[in-house]
Amino acid sequence: MSKRTEKIILGLIPAALALIMCTVIALLGGKVINLERRLKGYEAVEQLGARESRLVQLSWIEENAYASSDISELAARNYTDDPASLAYPCDEYEAHPSEGGALYDRNGVTYAADSDSDGIHRVYLTFDDGPSIYTDDILDILAAYDVKATFFVVGRENTASYARYLRIIEEGHTLGMHSYSHVYNDIYASPESFAEDTERIRTLLEDVTGQTPVFYRFPGGSSNDVSATDMHELEEYLESQGIVYFDWNVSSGDAGKTPLSPDQIIHNALQGIESRDTTVILFHDTAAKRSTVYALPTIIEAIQSMDNTVILPITYDTTVIQHDHP
Ligand code: ZN
């Protein structure tokens, strides 16, 4: 080996060593990054677990805050239905007799009047905005009186809500849609945003219950004056999707800014039932509407004691109640 070759080889050794070290560092570096990622993944899972168990705790606290009032206690309560004893103006909820197939006005809202009467008064109890911490109480009460109702629900993605969607269906009630988000500015922004929101709640309910919901209630009703989109356009969209929308012709008034007492809700809900063939009563199933739960047994008992009157869930046979609006 010449001196020159020896020199070249000696010169290459540090370069080769450097190359090997770089490779080792690169390999180790990759391993470290992978390890870091996995660690972060575990942390995220751990955090999620902690969050979930906190949520479970919170819902337990919520549920148990209400546990003191059981159904027999609710049913045993007696409420007066004497308007004079109520410290609020109930004129606006007074019965408006329907006039031979025509439309009639109430509180600025026009309702379709009944036609072709068979002498039976059909009453539909409808609950908007659920599921909530009160859904199970409402379902317990309905079961106790063997009454089926209709729930127009919004999108809530947690296990407690999934169980409530399912229970509504399993116990023979009608599960309808009331938008996914219930945020007026979003859903009514355009026909596209409305379609997107509707698809979202429909898919969620389908996924959870295995049944496709076919009834809809517009947040704020079809006669709402907040929609940025022509409501007729949205009504046509629903029709194109095979979805039937329902408004109401009696409001229990349980969603007002000032919370009503059970007595007030009872008084409102029972207005004019005997003068109508079809009564769709609007109630709310939200955490803020505890009075509705207390009012419900008395309302059901009062309706069940009326002649030729039945309480039914909304089906395709139900006379459609829709607000007339410009
Ligand atoms: Zn609502």
Side-chain angles (χ1 to χ4, degrees), residues 191-219:
E192 293 73 32
S193 55
F194 181 79
E196 206 175 290
D197 180 276
T198 304
E199 199 39 47
R200 205 169 164 202
I201 183 66
R202 179 157 62 174
T203 308
L204 172 65
L205 297 184
E206 255 170 16
D207 288 348
V208 174
T209 68
Q211 286 187 26
T212 306
V214 292
F215 299 109
Y216 191 92
R217 172 163 288 151
F218 287 104

Side-chain angles (χ1 to χ4, degrees), residues 128-129 154 178 182 184 218-220 284:
D128 287 9
D129 300 352
V154 297
H178 188 46
H182 205 284
Y184 291 7
F218 287 104
H284 289 82

Side-chain angles (χ1 to χ4, degrees), residues 241-263:
Q241 297 295 303
I243 299 170
V244 181
Y245 75 90
F246 272 83
D247 287 309
W248 57 91
N249 52 9
V250 168
S251 171
S252 69
D254 66 351
K257 285 195 181 78
T258 3
L260 296 188
S261 71
D263 286 339

Side-chain angles (χ1 to χ4, degrees), residues 85-98:
S85 72
L86 304 175
Y88 76 108
C90 53
D91 296 355
E92 57 174 341
Y93 293 108
E94 259 169 32
H96 284 234
S98 50

Side-chain angles (χ1 to χ4, degrees), residues 111-276:
Y111 298 96
D114 296 322
S115 54
D116 56 68
S117 172
D118 60 1
I120 294 175
H121 305 287
R122 294 176 175 80
V123 181
Y124 300 87
L125 311 177
T126 66
F127 298 89
D128 287 9
D129 300 352
S132 79
I133 52 162
Y134 294 137
T135 308
D136 289 313
D137 297 301
I138 293 171
L139 288 168
D140 288 346
I141 293 168
L142 295 173
Y145 288 97
D146 195 19
V147 159
K148 307 297 179 206
T150 303
F151 292 78
F152 290 107
V153 297
V154 297
R156 297 201 201 286
E157 305 218 23
N158 54 65
T159 46
S161 298
Y162 296 163
R164 287 164 186 151
Y165 293 140
L166 267 174
R167 193 179 160 199
I168 289 169
I169 290 221
E170 280 165 0
E171 298 189 3
H173 306 287
T174 297
L175 184 65
M177 299 170 279
H178 188 46
S179 84
Y180 183 92
S181 74
H182 205 284
V183 177
Y184 291 7
N185 287 346
D186 293 341
I187 57 176
Y188 292 141
S190 68
E192 293 73 32
S193 55
F194 181 79
E196 206 175 290
D197 180 276
T198 304
E199 199 39 47
R200 205 169 164 202
I201 183 66
R202 179 157 62 174
T203 308
L204 172 65
L205 297 184
E206 255 170 16
D207 288 348
V208 174
T209 68
Q211 286 187 26
T212 306
V214 292
F215 299 109
Y216 191 92
R217 172 163 288 151
F218 287 104
S222 69
S223 57
N224 79 79
D225 51 13
V226 293
S227 176
T229 308
D230 182 356
M231 289 301 290
H232 295 287
E233 213 175 312
L234 306 185
E235 289 162 15
E236 275 165 29
Y237 164 77
L238 289 182
E239 202 183 333
S240 76
Q241 297 295 303
I243 299 170
V244 181
Y245 75 90
F246 272 83
D247 287 309
W248 57 91
N249 52 9
V250 168
S251 171
S252 69
D254 66 351
K257 285 195 181 78
T258 3
L260 296 188
S261 71
D263 286 339
Q264 292 165 332
I265 292 170
I266 292 160
H267 178 81
N268 292 341
L270 296 175
Q271 292 302 306
I273 288 174
E274 285 160 306
S275 69
R276 252 181 253 110

